[in-house]
Amino acid sequence: MSFIILTILWLTLFGIYAIIIKTISAIKKFPSLFGGGARGGYNTYWVDPLSEVPNGMQDQF
Amino acid sequence: MNKPVYILGLSCYYHDSACVLIKDGEIIFAAQEERYTRKKQDDSFPNEAIKAAFEYAGITIEDISAIGFYEKPFIKFFDRILRTTFKVWPRGLMQYQYAMQDWMTKKLWIPQSIRKELGYKGDIFFIPHHESHAYSSFGVSGFDDATIVTVDGVGEWATATIGYGCAEVPSAKCQVPNSETWNLELGTSKPVPSVKILKEIHYPHSLGLLYSAITYYLGFKVNSAEYKVMGLAPYGEPKYLEKMRELIDVKEDGSFALNMKYFTYEHGLRMTGRAIEKLLGQPRRKPESDLEQFHKDIARSLQDLTEEVMMKIVTYAKKISPSDNLCLAGGVSLNCVANGKILRSGLFKNIYIQPASGDAGGALGVALAIWYKQFNGAKLQQMNHSYFGDEFSDDEIEKCLQNADVPFLKLSDEGLIDRASTLMEGDNVIGWFQGRMEYGPRALGNRSIIADARNKDNWKKVNLKIKFRESFRPFAPTVLEERIGDYFDLDRPTPFMLLVADVHPDKRDEIPAVTHVDGSARIQSINREQNERYYDLIKAFEEKTGCGVIINTSFNVRGEPIVRSPEDALNCFLNTHMDYLVLGNYLLTKRDMPEDKVLKKKDYLEQFELD
Ligand SMILES: [Fe+2]
């Protein structure tokens, strides 16, 4: 993909979606949407892994 | 007769591509692609390694029962990478450009690439990156149960995990001791190892990336030269440890979060920026510029911090998934100083770390996961050597030498051991090329440069005149397994050079070339079952000198992948100040080489990008 097409996508699609996501995050005061930040008042930073999908080994997700 | 089950595990497209072939649960072949393409840490599809694996096993793609890829690409891209792109927008345009090109053209098409490159029509499996790491260690540890800790840069989201592995007769349920939170129903009649990940730490918070970021700050190459920082650390004092605590918040349970204002890898093409320079008080070191005491102190502070976090993680891991055995994996578990500290803490009776514990090991992990999970395959015995790559017969070696038109001498087996062990005494440096190539980043006696550990000058000679690398870099010893306790503060074998222990104070003067400035050594032990010829060589050296320890470093120059073939070994020999080369049963002497063939080192070294 060319540099120009990717840049247009970056400015439009990615830009709009990023602004929406950032706005929602700000409203919900939910910084951990993106993985959280340091010294956020947590007791632990360990999280539970995603639950395993049965027969999920053939999936790429 | 039943058709054998062949499983091919693959890791590629990030760094350190590799393939592993297992047949009915036995590792047949394992190698990294870099050894074939001669491009260090090559990340391309491991076509050449796969070709070599099939040739070695005498099979074709039609014989393969399953292929596995060592991570889940869609989770990585659609969840982590896109989400991070939105998070950092409008920054990160260049990183986005590179990432999109890479993902759109290669990484989102892994099954298609596998089918196209190999002409394969069967099943393809994917498991999470850290599960691959976990299987790559527990799956060949030989343990019935183990606490598993994996720590690296990043997989999909996870950068560190705690897990539990068990291999029990599956009439009962397999569960984490003292826990009722989950059960593993194994459901077959034989012990099958199984791994369960219990806790994770997620990107961008990563101990591996913290180590890489400081490696970058110190002017070394990321994903390649982290071990230089580890080697540099003993020259420094932990003067910046307190300042570094500003970079990372570590909880008592070993979990941590990075203070992202000091790191730029989420949106930039660099790991760190101005903020860290301001915090630590100096600009980033220019690659190849002089190393000052400041850089050594930074390395030491980082190393101490890493050890502290690793100790907390394994302590917590022992609490939530208790076992006497610990399996470590992931790039950070190549930090053998931290590994040695964990061992000495006495928290675990046994520790197992597989030699390819970085991402090349993911290929092994996914192959094992398929064997255990899809085929209910029986538990493998403990992997206690890493000789799973190519080998060359004496005929092939002789042909290579004749083609190169260089003089050589063919010796008998006994004659070779006798001659080589005699030559090793003093200041000769020998290229030692034998048998099957090692899997993983270490040369363990088949693609090695060896020398007398009693001669301190050999440290300088091998670093500067043979490897053309930094003078501070330490050398590792190989010691006869039965003599470990005579030289080192260590009570067990360490066949993969993944544990650091102190040299006994009264032995430091005897083996100065492998004793680091702090009195420690990164030890490889060897017994005759693991590698008969290498063991016999050191044994013969011991009989002549009384010393059961030699220098062992990888057979390459700086920036070059370890040699694979006799041609690679001959090239390296001719273009460095190595004194002798032993290829199988053939001995080459540098002073007998035709003048027009030796030391065109400039051309030779220019082929390899400095790390
Ligand atoms: Fe990894």
Side-chain angles (χ1 to χ4, degrees):
Chain A
M1 253 191 250
S2 79
F3 185 89
I4 296 165
I5 296 171
L6 282 171
T7 308
I8 292 168
L9 272 176
W10 167 258
L11 291 170
T12 54
L13 221 73
F14 276 79
I16 293 164
Y17 196 60
I19 290 165
I20 294 169
I21 295 267
K22 279 167 190 273
T23 313
I24 293 171
S25 294
I27 293 166
K28 287 188 172 173
K29 292 185 179 159
F30 189 42
S32 65
L33 182 65
F34 297 129
R39 297 164 214 274
Y42 302 93
N43 291 325
T44 180
Y45 297 110
W46 291 113
V47 295
D48 293 329
L50 294 172
S51 50
E52 254 180 68
V53 185
N55 303 318
M57 273 182 77
Q58 276 173 309
D59 301 329
Q60 296 190 64
F61 45 82
Chain B
M1 207 171 77
N2 283 342
K3 213 179 141 209
V5 173
Y6 284 100
I7 301 169
L8 185 67
L10 302 177
S11 64
C12 60
Y13 293 155
Y14 297 95
H15 50 90
D16 233 0
S17 291
C19 89
V20 170
L21 181 66
I22 64 176
K23 176 189 176 187
D24 290 336
E26 192 193 334
I27 304 168
I28 297 291
F29 191 94
Q32 292 122 284
E33 184 71 358
E34 62 161 25
R35 307 289 164 87
Y36 300 85
T37 58
R38 311 305 300 151
K39 185 180 160 203
K40 197 154 187 179
Q41 287 174 320
D42 194 351
D43 67 352
S44 55
F45 190 85
N47 267 321
E48 298 301 318
I50 294 169
K51 215 185 286 172
F54 287 1
E55 208 169 291
Y56 185 86
I59 60 168
T60 66
I61 193 68
E62 310 296 332
D63 298 299
I64 295 292
S65 314
I67 293 183
F69 189 71
Y70 79 129
E71 60 184 17
K72 297 268 196 187
F74 284 6
I75 297 182
K76 196 167 192 168
F77 181 72
F78 291 107
D79 204 13
R80 174 168 63 85
I81 292 183
L82 286 189
R83 223 194 257 215
T84 306
T85 306
F86 295 133
K87 175 189 168 187
V88 300
W89 192 94
R91 292 177 299 173
L93 175 63
M94 286 317 290
Q95 196 183 58
Y96 153 89
Q97 289 280 357
Y98 282 113
M100 287 298 157
Q101 299 279 3
D102 233 22
W103 278 93
M104 295 298 171
T105 54
K106 281 192 316 200
K107 296 178 182 175
L108 284 176
W109 312 102
I110 284 167
Q112 291 82 352
S113 297
I114 291 173
R115 296 195 192 287
K116 192 179 145 214
E117 297 286 348
L118 304 177
Y120 176 70
K121 296 185 184 75
D123 290 330
I124 299 174
F125 297 96
F126 302 83
I127 66 167
H129 186 104
H130 277 259
E131 205 175 310
S132 291
H133 278 316
Y135 270 104
S136 79
S137 182
F138 179 65
V140 288
S141 66
F143 296 148
D144 288 331
D145 72 285
T147 306
I148 304 171
V149 170
T150 67
V151 186
D152 70 357
V154 62
E156 292 84 8
W157 274 109
T159 65
T161 73
I162 292 173
Y164 185 70
C166 69
E168 289 185 350
V169 186
S171 52
K173 286 174 180 173
C174 190
Q175 71 178 77
V176 180
N178 310 332
S179 161
E180 290 178 12
T181 54
W182 59 271
N183 291 325
L184 285 176
E185 303 259 13
L186 295 175
T188 72
S189 57
K190 44 187 188 209
V192 178
S194 191
V195 162
K196 175 82 179 171
I197 304 292
L198 302 171
K199 290 287 175 194
E200 296 182 345
I201 289 172
H202 282 182
Y203 182 86
H205 310 297
S206 162
L207 190 58
L209 290 177
L210 169 67
Y211 211 98
S212 293
I214 301 294
T215 298
Y216 172 84
Y217 175 72
L218 289 174
F220 298 119
K221 195 172 168 190
V222 168
N223 283 335
S224 167
E226 281 77 0
Y227 61 99
K228 289 189 194 176
V229 177
M230 187 178 73
L232 187 64
Y235 294 95
E237 292 297 326
K239 288 181 184 165
Y240 296 88
L241 187 55
E242 288 315 309
K243 280 197 174 171
M244 278 193 188
R245 292 192 195 285
E246 182 65 24
L247 302 176
I248 182 170
D249 181 28
V250 186
K251 300 294 185 198
E252 267 318 295
D253 61 7
S255 66
F256 55 84
L258 300 187
N259 192 342
M260 292 311 294
K261 81 174 185 196
Y262 293 108
F263 302 93
T264 54
Y265 56 78
E266 272 190 297
H267 57 82
L269 298 175
R270 296 171 184 172
M271 298 289 290
T272 60
R274 287 277 165 78
I276 209 164
E277 295 179 352
K278 216 169 146 193
L279 175 76
L280 299 175
Q282 284 210 21
R284 179 187 174 229
R285 174 181 164 259
K286 286 202 176 73
E288 306 308 310
S289 64
D290 287 344
L291 278 163
E292 293 162 14
Q293 192 54 42
F294 168 77
H295 304 116
K296 297 169 187 172
D297 293 341
I298 291 286
R300 173 65 187 274
S301 307
L302 174 69
Q303 182 60 32
D304 281 14
L305 182 65
T306 304
E307 290 168 26
E308 183 186 313
V309 179
M310 283 302 287
M311 271 313 301
K312 284 185 172 172
I313 292 176
V314 296
T315 305
Y316 181 64
K318 169 108 183 172
K319 196 169 147 195
I320 64 166
S321 61
S323 168
D324 285 339
N325 310 311
L326 173 67
C327 285
L328 288 171
V332 177
S333 61
L334 290 169
N335 192 310
C336 33
V337 183
N339 298 343
K341 194 164 184 179
I342 294 168
L343 176 71
R344 284 191 298 282
S345 75
L347 260 176
F348 297 90
K349 275 190 195 153
N350 306 299
I351 296 186
Y352 184 80
I353 313 157
Q354 184 262 121
S357 55
D359 279 0
L364 174 64
V366 68
L368 293 170
I370 295 169
W371 172 243
Y372 294 137
K373 288 170 97 162
Q374 296 294 318
F375 291 89
N376 283 321
K379 190 176 90 172
L380 273 72
Q381 287 194 329
Q382 187 173 93
M383 173 177 167
N384 66 3
H385 71 80
S386 68
Y387 313 111
F388 293 111
D390 290 275
E391 69 180 334
F392 296 85
S393 66
D394 273 357
D395 284 349
E396 287 171 300
I397 292 170
E398 190 165 326
K399 214 168 164 187
C400 157
L401 296 175
Q402 279 165 349
N403 286 342
D405 198 19
V406 288
F408 58 85
L409 191 65
K410 186 171 185 186
L411 298 160
S412 66
D413 291 354
E414 300 77 36
L416 178 84
I417 295 297
D418 184 50
R419 189 74 186 273
S421 58
T422 304
L423 291 174
M424 216 172 18
E425 282 185 56
D427 62 359
N428 285 325
V429 177
I430 302 174
W432 181 255
F433 180 102
Q434 302 289 341
R436 297 188 70 180
M437 181 175 69
E438 298 89 343
Y439 172 50
R442 305 272 168 262
L444 298 168
N446 279 356
R447 301 288 185 277
S448 290
I449 293 171
I450 54 176
D452 190 341
R454 299 169 306 158
N455 184 348
K456 189 160 189 181
D457 293 342
N458 281 341
W459 179 336
K460 210 167 154 191
K461 180 178 175 184
V462 180
N463 262 340
L464 300 178
K465 294 181 109 180
I466 288 157
K467 308 265 289 186
F468 305 109
R469 67 183 201 181
E470 301 91 337
S471 60
F472 73 84
R473 306 267 302 274
F475 285 110
T478 306
V479 58
L480 298 171
E481 190 177 290
E482 64 273 20
R483 297 213 56 196
I484 297 172
D486 294 343
Y487 289 93
F488 306 104
D489 184 17
L490 186 70
D491 61 356
R492 66 196 67 206
T494 164
F496 303 131
M497 223 180 249
L498 283 170
L499 291 174
V500 163
D502 281 344
V503 182
H504 291 319
D506 61 327
K507 292 287 183 189
R508 289 175 192 178
D509 287 342
E510 187 185 329
I511 48 170
V514 291
T515 303
H516 206 1
V517 287
D518 60 351
S520 69
R522 180 162 53 91
I523 308 156
Q524 179 204 358
S525 65
I526 193 82
N527 66 38
R528 202 158 190 268
E529 263 174 43
Q530 287 158 346
N531 190 332
E532 197 176 310
R533 189 166 269 191
Y534 192 46
Y535 176 89
D536 287 350
L537 173 76
I538 304 173
K539 190 76 190 164
F541 181 76
E542 184 203 29
E543 276 158 16
K544 286 179 176 135
T545 63
C547 179
V549 178
I550 65 168
I551 293 178
N552 172 17
T553 185
S554 52
F555 198 151
N556 58 353
V557 295
R558 185 177 169 197
E560 180 189 19
I562 297 174
V563 300
R564 180 189 69 87
S565 64
E567 287 82 2
D568 300 336
L570 183 63
N571 267 335
C572 189
F573 167 69
L574 291 173
N575 286 289
T576 62
H577 292 270
M578 223 178 285
D579 301 292
Y580 295 91
L581 172 63
V582 179
L583 292 166
N585 280 44
Y586 297 84
L587 176 70
L588 283 78
T589 305
K590 180 57 74 54
R591 62 172 181 275
D592 296 343
M593 293 298 122
E595 241 173 63
D596 62 324
K597 293 200 185 288
V598 295
L599 287 176
K600 292 178 201 149
K601 70 178 182 196
K602 200 165 171 291
D603 301 350
Y604 184 68
L605 295 178
E606 274 172 2
Q607 298 170 64
F608 309 112
E609 195 188 326
L610 292 180
D611 60 359

